[in-house]
Amino acid sequence: MNRKIKQIIKDYEPQIFGKQERSAVLLPLIQVENEWHILYEVRSQAVSQAGDSSFPGGRVENDETYEEAAIRETMEELNLEQENIIVYGEIDYIVSERMIIHCFVGELVDIDVEAIEPNVEVEKIYTVPLKFLMENDPKYFAVHFNPTLEEEFIKNQEDHTHEYKFENGQQRIPYYAIADHSLWGFTANLTERFIEIIIGNTE
C-alpha cells in the first residue's frame, strides 16, 4: 500500500484546492485619436452584475486554455474576428474563494472603437486613456465581514475542550473615479496591476 501511495503522490500534479470557476479576460488596448486607451465593457441586463465595468472575458471551457478562452470571449462580446486581436502576454492572475481569473493583455487592431458593435451581453463600451490611468491611482474602500456560525457547529465546539477562534474579515475594494462609469473590484484590481507593471518597467 505504501508503495502505491508513493507512486500516486509522485505522479500527482498539484493544483489550487477548491472548486473555483476558471475564467479568463482580455485587457484590450486600442488607439483612439493616436493615443493609447484601455477598452472597458458595461455589462447589460442580460448578465450578472449589470451596469458594472468589466473586461471582455468569461468562463474557460473544458477543451480550451485560458488564453483561448479570453480570445473567444472577446470575439463573441465585441463581435470581432480573431485577426482583430493581438495578444501580448499575461499579467498576474486573481485567485479568490469563488474563481480564478487569468488576465491577458492585447491590442485591438484594424478596427475603430466607434465601429465596434458588442453583443447582447454588453450594454455599451467605453475607453479610458492609458495616460489618465498612469497618473491617477484608484481609491480604496474597506468592506467588513463578520462570520456567522451555524448553531450545530457552535454546539460541536461546546462539546469539546478546544474552541476555534474566528476573526472578523476586511477586504479593500479599489475604485477608479471615472465619470458615469462604475470601475471597481476585480477589473479595477487588474487595471491597477497592469499600470504598476508598465510604470515599474519604464521608469
Side-chain angles (χ1 to χ4, degrees):
M1 184 63 181
N2 186 59
R3 181 180 299 176
K4 185 176 181 180
I5 293 173
K6 181 178 180 180
Q7 189 61 46
I8 290 172
I9 299 303
K10 180 181 179 181
D11 296 338
Y12 185 77
E13 290 289 337
Q15 54 190 314
I16 295 172
F17 180 76
K19 297 294 184 181
Q20 294 97 332
E21 178 180 309
R22 298 188 306 141
S23 299
V25 300
L26 180 76
L27 188 157
L29 299 170
I30 189 169
Q31 282 205 321
V32 179
E33 298 180 352
N34 296 318
E35 184 179 3
W36 285 108
H37 285 224
I38 296 179
L39 181 144
Y40 297 92
E41 301 175 347
V42 176
R43 299 168 68 87
S44 76
Q45 296 295 326
V47 294
S48 63
Q49 297 177 304
D52 284 351
S53 297
S54 68
F55 293 127
R59 183 176 300 176
V60 178
E61 301 296 341
N62 293 331
D63 60 346
E64 65 185 355
T65 66
Y66 282 98
E67 182 173 343
E68 289 169 343
I71 294 171
R72 174 183 55 76
E73 290 281 353
T74 301
M75 292 170 59
E76 293 174 0
E77 293 174 12
L78 299 182
N79 281 313
L80 300 178
E81 300 296 330
Q82 187 162 354
E83 292 74 21
N84 297 125
I85 305 166
I86 299 176
V87 176
Y88 294 168
E90 184 179 3
I91 61 172
D92 300 335
Y93 58 94
I94 291 173
V95 178
S96 75
E97 185 177 349
R98 294 185 301 108
M99 62 180 59
I100 302 169
I101 307 173
H102 283 248
C103 180
F104 297 85
V105 177
E107 179 183 349
L108 303 186
V109 298
D110 299 328
I111 189 166
D112 293 328
V113 67
E114 294 83 3
I116 297 176
E117 297 181 357
N119 71 5
V120 68
E121 298 177 9
V122 182
E123 179 182 322
K124 61 181 177 179
I125 60 173
Y126 68 94
T127 67
V128 180
L130 191 58
K131 186 174 185 289
F132 172 86
L133 294 167
M134 294 177 73
E135 294 175 351
N136 294 273
D137 296 330
K139 295 181 180 179
Y140 273 86
F141 297 92
V143 178
H144 300 276
F145 302 94
N146 296 319
T148 302
L149 304 179
E150 294 184 1
E151 291 185 9
E152 182 179 352
F153 182 84
I154 295 174
K155 183 180 185 306
N156 180 270
Q157 296 300 303
E158 293 173 348
D159 290 342
H160 294 79
T161 57
H162 71 279
E163 181 180 355
Y164 195 96
K165 299 293 185 180
F166 287 88
E167 297 180 358
N168 293 340
Q170 176 176 306
Q171 184 176 355
R172 295 175 69 241
I173 305 294
Y175 178 87
Y176 281 94
I178 297 174
D180 301 324
H181 297 296
S182 179
L183 178 51
W184 66 287
F186 288 153
T187 303
N189 280 132
L190 293 170
T191 297
E192 181 184 30
R193 185 60 188 136
F194 169 69
I195 297 299
E196 289 174 345
I197 293 170
I198 296 305
I199 292 177
N201 287 275
T202 55
E203 293 180 342

